[in-house]
Amino acid sequence: MAERTDTEGNGTMGANTMHVTDETFESEVLSSDVPVLVDFWAEWCGPCKALGPTIDEIADDFAGRAKVAKVDIDKAQELAMKYRIQSIPTVAIFKGGEVIDMRVGLSSKEDLSDRLEKAVG
């Protein structure tokens, strides 16, 4: 799996996983013409780090059909407040600028992939 260091210096991310911020969220997520799975996480969160490789695998699996993004809630506090992120990891699926699905806590690759597949289909 290809990995790269994200633009904010938050470790490694898969080649198909993008980092979004308060400034890029609207253009990358809300205005997207394909569904977007968004992983709300933080550097200090152990379960978030455990979920990271799964998120990258989903990004690779859905490349060209959906987007996968990560939002560091410590650096995007406006987004965390807007979407009422109280526990992390939280994974939300956006379609047409709206949240259509949200899971809190660790989820399996199969569960998240099934949920994203429904949004794509």
Side-chain angles (χ1 to χ4, degrees):
M1 173 186 346
E3 287 189 339
R4 65 177 171 78
T5 300
D6 75 24
T7 57
E8 297 294 316
N10 294 326
T12 58
M13 292 187 350
N16 292 309
T17 308
M18 71 176 114
H19 178 80
V20 293
T21 63
D22 286 329
E23 294 77 26
T24 61
F25 192 81
E26 184 170 344
S27 64
E28 294 291 351
V29 177
L30 301 181
S31 298
S32 176
D33 56 354
V34 296
V36 185
L37 182 145
V38 178
D39 174 23
F40 291 93
W41 74 290
E43 183 67 34
W44 48 264
C45 170
C48 298
K49 288 183 176 187
L51 186 61
T54 299
I55 297 297
D56 290 340
E57 288 175 22
I58 292 170
D60 292 341
D61 293 349
F62 283 85
R65 299 189 304 138
K67 291 181 182 179
V68 175
K70 293 177 74 80
V71 173
D72 182 338
I73 64 163
D74 288 335
K75 295 182 179 175
Q77 293 180 2
E78 288 179 31
L79 289 174
M81 288 181 3
K82 179 176 181 178
Y83 292 102
R84 298 187 174 123
I85 307 302
Q86 297 178 356
S87 297
I88 53 174
T90 293
V91 177
I93 298 174
F94 288 78
K95 186 173 183 178
E98 300 291 327
V99 175
I100 62 166
D101 196 339
M102 187 176 282
R103 300 287 295 169
V104 177
L106 285 175
S107 297
S108 69
K109 179 182 177 185
E110 293 75 22
D111 180 52
L112 293 175
S113 293
D114 288 347
R115 291 170 182 279
L116 188 53
E117 190 65 52
K118 287 177 186 168
V120 170

